Amino acid sequence: QELVDAKDYNGALRLLEGLYNPDKLTEYEQGNVLNYIGFIYYNMDNMPAAIRTYEKLLAIPSLEQQMAKQVTFTLAQLYMVMEQYPKALTTLDKWFTMEPNPAPEPFILRSQILYNLNRFAEMVKPIETAMEIAQNRGTPVKEDWWGLLNYAYFSQENYVKVRDIQKILLQTWPKKRYWKSLAGAYTELGEDEK
């Protein structure tokens, strides 16, 4: 911890790799050491090594459920960063089976993965679910969520939904580009006067 706080990641890594010995550590101890090694690789921006470490961690048979859930979500994010979108989606879907009460953000992550897989029609449900959860929890729905939803409907040529979303964006975050997008939606709907 002291080495990590001092940003001496290589020193911390050497120390942890010296500690990691499956023959001498319980599975619980192995899990903690691997979790820390993965965290250090992540902080060093060595995503492939972080992924390999977290995959090894998840292979521990008696891994504590909370750690398994946390590491599964982290892996989904890392796969996304590394543009391994099918793996990211599979891993995130596995995480959803482990988390009984997900926050809005994992649903947005799912829609972003679907976007990268060109599965635009499937993006709508997770975004709308995220918005519903946020509203139920009294937290704000973010501007970029609306933008993502707008793109999902635009890609399906659902200009009625695009128009409605542009009105929300314009009222909540007034910007020039939303005026132009709203005008474009009206044009697509044959409502040129509007």
Side-chain angles (χ1 to χ4, degrees), residues 104-105 107-109 111-112 115 123 127-128 130-131 140-152 165-166 168-169 172-173 175 177-178:
E105 289 77 12
F107 289 99
I108 297 301
L109 177 61
S111 69
Q112 291 167 332
Y115 167 85
M123 291 169 58
I127 300 168
E128 290 181 343
M131 291 175 163
V141 171
K142 296 180 181 172
E143 181 180 3
D144 61 325
W145 300 359
W146 284 110
L148 207 53
L149 186 61
N150 182 71
Y151 185 84
I165 291 168
Q166 290 306 316
I168 291 166
L169 284 165
T172 315
W173 300 277
K175 292 180 181 161
R177 71 176 187 261
Y178 298 143

Side-chain angles (χ1 to χ4, degrees), residues 3-34:
L3 292 168
V4 168
D5 290 344
K7 305 232 185 291
D8 180 3
Y9 298 126
N10 287 320
L13 208 48
R14 279 192 301 274
L15 189 63
L16 286 166
E17 286 172 345
L19 280 173
Y20 184 71
N21 182 342
D23 296 331
K24 293 184 179 177
L25 298 176
T26 66
E27 288 184 350
Y28 175 78
E29 291 165 337
Q30 290 175 49
N32 283 319
V33 173
L34 287 171

Side-chain angles (χ1 to χ4, degrees), residues 27-124:
E27 288 184 350
Y28 175 78
E29 291 165 337
Q30 290 175 49
N32 283 319
V33 173
L34 287 171
N35 194 32
Y36 223 131
I37 291 172
F39 171 76
I40 291 169
Y41 278 132
Y42 177 83
N43 280 290
M44 294 171 76
D45 286 325
N46 187 341
M47 301 310 163
I51 287 172
R52 283 192 304 275
T53 305
Y54 286 134
E55 287 172 340
K56 193 175 185 180
L57 172 55
L58 284 179
I60 295 173
S62 64
L63 187 63
E64 191 264 327
Q65 182 64 23
Q66 188 60 34
M67 184 180 283
K69 183 169 68 172
Q70 171 198 333
V71 171
T72 300
F73 188 73
T74 300
L75 258 180
Q77 293 173 307
L78 290 172
Y79 289 139
M80 171 78 171
V81 169
M82 296 302 294
E83 299 179 4
Q84 297 177 21
Y85 304 121
K87 268 187 167 180
L89 186 60
T90 303
T91 306
L92 185 61
D93 285 345
K94 181 179 179 186
W95 178 85
F96 274 115
T97 67
M98 303 164 89
E99 175 53 61
N101 191 21
E105 289 77 12
F107 289 99
I108 297 301
L109 177 61
R110 189 172 199 283
S111 69
Q112 291 167 332
I113 295 168
L114 291 167
Y115 167 85
N116 284 291
L117 290 168
N118 298 321
R119 291 164 58 177
F120 306 123
E122 294 173 59
M123 291 169 58
V124 172

Side-chain angles (χ1 to χ4, degrees), residues 150 153-154 156-168 182 184-186 188-191:
N150 182 71
Y153 280 123
F154 181 82
Q156 298 171 69
E157 300 180 6
N158 186 335
Y159 300 113
V160 171
K161 288 285 192 181
V162 169
R163 176 201 61 201
D164 296 344
I165 291 168
Q166 290 306 316
K167 286 180 179 180
I168 291 166
L182 180 57
Y186 279 128
E188 291 293 344
L189 292 167
E191 300 177 21

